[in-house]
Amino acid sequence: MTSSLPKSIDETLDLLTRSSYVADRSLATVLFLALKMQRPLFLEGEAGVGKTEIAKVLSTALDRPLIRLQCYEGLDISSSVYEWNYAAQMVDIRMREASGDTNRDAMEDDVFSDRFLIRRPILQALEQVDGRAPVLLIDELDRTDEAFEAFLLEVLSDFQVTIPELGTIRAAEPPIVIITTNRTREIHDALKRRCLYHWVDYPDAEREFDIVRLKVPDAGETLSREIVDYIQRLRTKELFKNPGIAETLDWATALMELDKVALDPQAVSDTLGVILKYQDDIAAIQGTEGAAILKEVKSQAQAEGARSGASSSNAASATNEA
Ligand SMILES: Nc1ncnc2c1ncn2[C@@H]1O[C@H](COP(=O)(O)OP(=O)(O)OP(=O)(O)O)[C@@H](O)[C@H]1O
Ligand SMILES: [Mg+2]
């Protein structure tokens, strides 16, 4: 059965948390509103910050099918909406001719019927099965060209498409639309205006720590905290490509696989390729800069250790006094 939509921002936050997505309140708010107002949600942000994951999590949490349209340069209507199955149509025509059937009108009607229609993601999303409006993920829209964007504008305005041979197909209930972009180019204002917009930023240290603990629980608390601190500091450097959450999680998994319980200079140097994907960035961090970051991470960890040690001994002496 389809789960009902969340009724408040808190319920939306709960829903995301239950599906292992650690969101901040601003994301939960815009998502709640997008669901309530039946408007597409336009998510922009750097790579690996959890944009695509939102659509996946929504589909699971709301028990709706996920229909994904992966965008690329040259994406057109035949790959995104529908296409006629020409090969099957030709076979059908040949068989009719062979059996002496020469009624051209009947042939045309039949050949352009539902039977020969190949449904691509947008059409699938409009023709929902069992009355369950699906989650339609239009991923990495910035990779398409402007002609496709203009077409999408039409679809998102009316939630309908017209197939000349069949007529207009309109969604009984608009699908839940999530659009993502990595901002390699600006998307036209007209399209953005149809949507609610949210910039998905890198998480702060606390949220990133929660994500690591949730997704890679076996990495251990000390290692997770140091990894997050290192990554957070790395993002303040002038890198060609900052590590996203995906890289943080990969690093936690990699170091755990190497049986590490804390960062050390050798482990960091050996695994930089997990978090940095450009040689210039690796070269910049491998030397003194990386060592300086690690030193800061270690002294931060020590300070935190001393603080928590002091507060627990205070608590113990308070208990003893009581
Ligand atoms: N807030 C979060 N809570 C839990 N996991 C998260 C969160 N954000 C990101 N992740 C995890 O980080 C990884 C990367 O997320 P995702 O693929 O959604 O990023 P993206 O923004 O779509 O990146 P890209 O632009 O490269 O496609 C996923 O494995 C996802 O599970
Ligand atoms: Mg993505």
Side-chain angles (χ1 to χ4, degrees), residues 23-305:
D24 57 13
R25 205 171 169 81
S26 64
L27 172 61
T29 305
V30 74
L31 183 57
F32 167 67
L33 290 173
L35 294 171
K36 185 100 187 149
M37 295 161 71
Q38 296 193 326
R39 295 277 287 277
L41 179 56
F42 189 99
L43 299 172
E44 200 163 44
E46 303 293 342
V49 289
K51 303 181 296 294
T52 302
E53 185 76 2
I54 292 174
K56 293 183 185 169
V57 158
L58 264 190
S59 140
T60 316
L62 299 175
D63 191 23
R64 312 275 182 127
L66 175 68
I67 298 175
R68 181 173 187 163
L69 176 65
Q70 178 61 53
C71 297
Y72 53 86
E73 203 180 328
L75 178 66
D76 58 7
I77 293 185
S78 62
S79 306
S80 63
V81 189
Y82 76 96
E83 194 175 7
W84 289 109
N85 187 341
Y86 291 118
Q89 284 174 322
M90 287 311 295
V91 170
D92 193 73
I93 291 168
R94 292 274 180 275
M95 281 171 60
R96 280 164 184 271
E97 284 170 352
S99 67
D101 183 352
T102 51
N103 184 339
R104 287 188 68 87
D105 288 344
M107 190 188 298
E108 201 173 312
D109 280 354
D110 196 45
V111 153
F112 287 108
S113 67
D114 206 59
R115 206 150 59 95
F116 295 101
L117 190 68
I118 302 173
R119 292 165 168 78
R120 301 291 188 205
I122 289 184
L123 186 56
Q124 289 170 17
L126 297 179
E127 282 188 327
Q128 48 217 257
V129 188
D130 307 334
R132 294 194 310 158
V135 175
L136 171 62
L137 166 63
I138 301 175
D139 214 12
E140 305 185 354
L141 180 63
D142 47 337
R143 289 173 184 246
T144 59
D145 33 49
E146 293 192 1
F148 183 76
E149 214 183 293
F151 166 74
L152 201 56
L153 183 65
E154 248 180 82
V155 173
L156 296 182
S157 304
D158 306 327
F159 292 105
Q160 64 177 40
V161 290
T162 299
I163 300 175
E165 299 86 352
L166 287 182
T168 298
I169 295 168
R170 179 193 288 269
E173 186 191 334
I176 298 168
V177 182
I178 307 286
I179 300 174
T180 80
T181 135
N182 279 2
R183 217 184 186 187
T184 55
R185 71 172 175 85
E186 281 301 324
I187 302 298
H188 208 276
D189 280 351
L191 193 128
K192 285 187 175 172
R193 225 178 298 127
R194 300 287 185 289
C195 309
L196 301 191
Y197 174 89
H198 184 75
W199 172 260
V200 186
D201 215 340
Y202 293 118
D204 61 17
E206 256 340 284
R207 194 156 67 86
E208 192 156 24
F209 176 72
D210 289 346
I211 296 171
V212 175
R213 295 300 285 148
L214 195 68
K215 291 285 178 82
V216 195
D218 293 341
E221 188 163 341
T222 307
L223 180 63
S224 303
R225 207 167 274 290
E226 289 188 6
I227 285 175
V228 168
D229 193 13
Y230 194 100
I231 295 272
Q232 294 266 332
R233 289 173 195 273
L234 213 48
R235 290 194 190 121
T236 64
K237 308 290 172 200
E238 293 281 307
L239 293 176
F240 182 68
K241 168 76 186 64
N242 277 330
I245 301 171
E247 282 75 22
T248 311
L249 295 175
D250 281 347
W251 206 27
T253 309
L255 290 167
M256 186 192 72
E257 292 294 341
L258 296 174
D259 296 325
K260 298 289 169 195
V261 289
L263 292 183
D264 63 67
Q266 190 64 50
V268 172
S269 167
D270 289 348
T271 55
L272 273 183
V274 180
I275 49 175
L276 299 173
K277 307 296 166 72
Y278 287 87
Q279 179 50 24
D280 286 355
D281 286 346
I282 293 179
I285 296 302
Q286 207 135 35
T288 48
E289 183 129 46
I293 298 177
L294 189 56
K295 213 168 142 199
E296 286 166 9
V297 168
K298 290 293 179 185
S299 55
Q300 170 82 14
Q302 237 170 13
E304 267 170 21

